[in-house]
Amino acid sequence: MFAVLKVLATLAVIVIALNRKVKMGNAMLAGSAILFILSEPTLAKLANAALRTATSHSTWEILFALYFVMCLEYQFRTGGIIDGLMATARSLLRSDRVLLAMMPAFLGFLPSLGGAIFSAPLVESASKPFSLSAETKTAINYWFRHIWEYTNPIFTGMLLASQISGLSLNALISHMAWLTVLSAVIGWLLLISPLKKNQLSGNTVIISDSGSTSYHFLLLATAPIIANFILVVFLKMPASISMALVVGAMILVLRQSLTDIRAMLLHALDSKLLWGIVGILFFQQVLQQSGAINEIALLLNAISIPATVVIGIIAFVAGLLTGTSQGFVAIAFPFIAVMAPGDLTLAMISFVMGTAGQMLSPAHMCLLVTLDYFHADFLKTLRPVFILNVIMIVAAYASIL
């Protein structure tokens, strides 16, 4: 029971720190310190946790993968690809409903801290033919940006889950692909399908472009993402190498100058994001050194609670408290590694419950920046998001009965 109290105290410190706008890395470091102090602290344990974090292959794999993701985001933003894609999408799709869902979904494939701010202006533009409240626009931007949580091989949460659980990325993605399809479908049915055109808006303005230019932007936007997906999922290439190859190819395609390349490489050194990942990985090592995971696993097995329920609750609470996929994965997946190593079903349940928790969390940065952009109400925005997550949870548990 003391192990449970230790973990709860640690989570409380992390949540309080995040709510006070402390950086993720510092918040996780504070949680690690509390857990270390409460777990028969020795310098040997601390040194071992630090050494494992610094020398682990997974640490550098994740850091380099995210570094090159930030490089690709820079290329998309400064190369005019995002603006060109918006004009092209309007011209080719001729459907503002599809555009509303597609813009945040497409940009959501490129993970970046608080990245919803990039798609919010595009949602604002695509929503002009409709009379939408600020809360509806916020919910659309927020939900469709996160439909890839279960399938994107370059998401931090996915990378961490694979490294901690020992499950391969392609196995995780193959097992959870249907969840992305489901989240897109129910998001469309609840958020997009009921929309009605504003009668005062007249006909939708279609931004025309030459066919060559349209397909040029479409190719520039989709090819890097498809190439990376193929390299990681089908060729089983490490995400860091795959992203490096994609970024290198884009340097040639965009004919970036040495000055621009230097600016890109500096931009990608997002200290806040990278330090946050280091903090999470260090917390994972301290959690393992503390023995709390094994103690809690023994306690839960003793009271005969199904593992799917236990892991689901842990993941949901962790997601709710930290507001990030990295957070719930770092807390929940070590339990999977101990209680049922290699169990894809538990991994799926953990992702669904953890994602539901982070999507409803006031600490989720994408939610915060989108609320701020649209000046939307927090609780009104979360009503449809809550309903959508309930559907996802029910579907996940129903699939394993």
Side-chain angles (χ1 to χ4, degrees):
M1 193 63 185
F2 181 58
V4 175
L5 296 177
K6 286 192 296 187
V7 173
L8 289 177
T10 300
L11 293 179
V13 169
I14 294 173
V15 173
I16 292 172
L18 290 174
N19 285 340
R20 292 180 178 275
K21 311 301 181 183
V22 175
K23 292 180 180 179
M24 169 67 78
N26 294 337
M28 297 305 293
L29 194 62
S32 299
I34 294 299
L35 185 59
F36 173 70
I37 292 170
L38 296 176
S39 304
E40 299 180 2
T42 65
L43 287 178
K45 287 183 179 180
L46 184 63
N48 193 32
L51 183 63
R52 284 174 177 266
T53 303
T55 60
S56 173
H57 174 269
S58 63
T59 297
W60 297 103
E61 164 67 16
I62 293 170
L63 289 178
F64 278 114
L66 290 179
Y67 176 80
F68 288 116
V69 166
M70 295 301 294
C71 287
L72 185 60
E73 183 269 331
Y74 177 92
Q75 291 173 323
F76 270 44
R77 181 165 46 82
T78 62
I81 296 174
I82 297 300
D83 292 337
L85 177 65
M86 184 67 176
T88 300
R90 278 194 182 278
S91 178
L92 296 178
L93 296 175
R94 299 182 181 273
S95 170
D96 291 289
R97 283 186 173 85
V98 174
L99 201 61
L100 263 174
M102 192 191 80
M103 286 297 100
F106 177 78
L107 289 178
F109 215 93
L110 285 176
S112 59
L113 202 60
I117 194 63
F118 295 119
S119 55
L122 303 185
V123 169
E124 179 69 46
S125 175
S127 68
K128 289 180 179 178
F130 307 95
S131 296
L132 302 186
S133 66
E135 289 73 28
T136 300
K137 287 183 282 189
T138 300
I140 290 171
N141 188 50
Y142 188 48
W143 180 261
F144 283 98
R145 177 173 172 77
H146 291 88
I147 63 174
W148 308 110
E149 291 288 336
Y150 318 97
T151 48
N152 194 331
I154 58 175
F155 269 18
T156 311
M158 185 68 74
L159 291 169
L160 279 171
S162 175
Q163 295 295 341
I164 294 173
S165 67
L167 294 165
S168 65
L169 275 174
N170 63 311
L172 281 171
I173 292 169
S174 299
H175 196 72
M176 299 194 295
W178 69 277
L179 292 168
T180 285
V181 176
L182 177 62
S183 61
V185 170
I186 62 176
W188 178 273
L189 294 176
L190 188 63
L191 296 174
I192 304 296
S193 184
L195 300 182
K196 295 181 180 180
K197 286 287 183 71
N198 182 358
Q199 294 180 351
L200 298 178
S201 68
N203 294 326
T204 302
V205 177
I206 303 296
I207 300 175
S208 61
D209 210 327
S210 66
S212 60
T213 302
S214 295
Y215 288 111
H216 170 71
F217 281 119
L218 188 61
L219 182 63
L220 283 176
T222 58
I225 292 175
I226 294 173
N228 180 72
F229 194 87
I230 291 173
L231 290 173
V232 172
V233 177
F234 296 104
L235 300 184
K236 299 181 181 180
M237 187 176 291
S240 58
I241 296 177
S242 171
M243 286 304 304
L245 291 174
V246 169
V247 169
M250 289 296 289
I251 289 175
L252 299 176
V253 171
L254 297 175
R255 297 179 181 177
Q256 288 180 273
S257 65
L258 290 177
T259 301
D260 195 32
I261 294 172
R262 188 181 302 112
M264 175 187 71
L265 296 177
L266 290 175
H267 163 81
L269 287 173
D270 188 330
S271 59
K272 184 177 181 179
L273 176 61
L274 297 178
W275 174 239
I277 300 305
V278 172
I280 289 170
L281 294 173
F282 179 67
F283 173 77
Q284 174 203 340
Q285 293 295 338
V286 173
L287 189 60
Q288 291 180 350
Q289 293 288 322
S290 71
I293 296 175
N294 290 319
E295 293 176 40
I296 294 175
L298 290 173
L299 175 64
L300 295 175
N301 286 331
I303 56 180
S304 301
I305 297 177
T308 52
V309 175
V310 173
I311 296 298
I313 293 174
I314 292 173
F316 179 82
V317 172
L320 188 66
L321 296 179
T322 64
T324 66
S325 60
Q326 310 97 286
F328 81 73
V329 168
I331 292 170
F333 269 70
F335 287 93
I336 296 177
V338 171
M339 296 175 67
D343 193 321
L344 283 168
T345 298
L346 276 182
M348 178 195 71
I349 292 297
S350 179
F351 255 96
V352 172
M353 293 294 285
T355 299
Q358 68 150 332
M359 290 293 286
L360 298 172
S361 172
H364 193 141
M365 190 168 293
C366 283
L367 176 60
L368 296 178
V369 298
T370 312
L371 286 170
D372 182 67
Y373 182 87
F374 290 114
H375 304 289
D377 180 84
F378 176 77
L379 291 178
K380 289 181 181 178
T381 295
L382 284 188
R383 286 173 187 169
V385 176
F386 175 79
I387 294 171
L388 289 166
N389 277 296
V390 168
I391 295 173
M392 294 295 296
I393 291 170
V394 170
Y397 276 99
S399 71
I400 63 175
L401 294 179

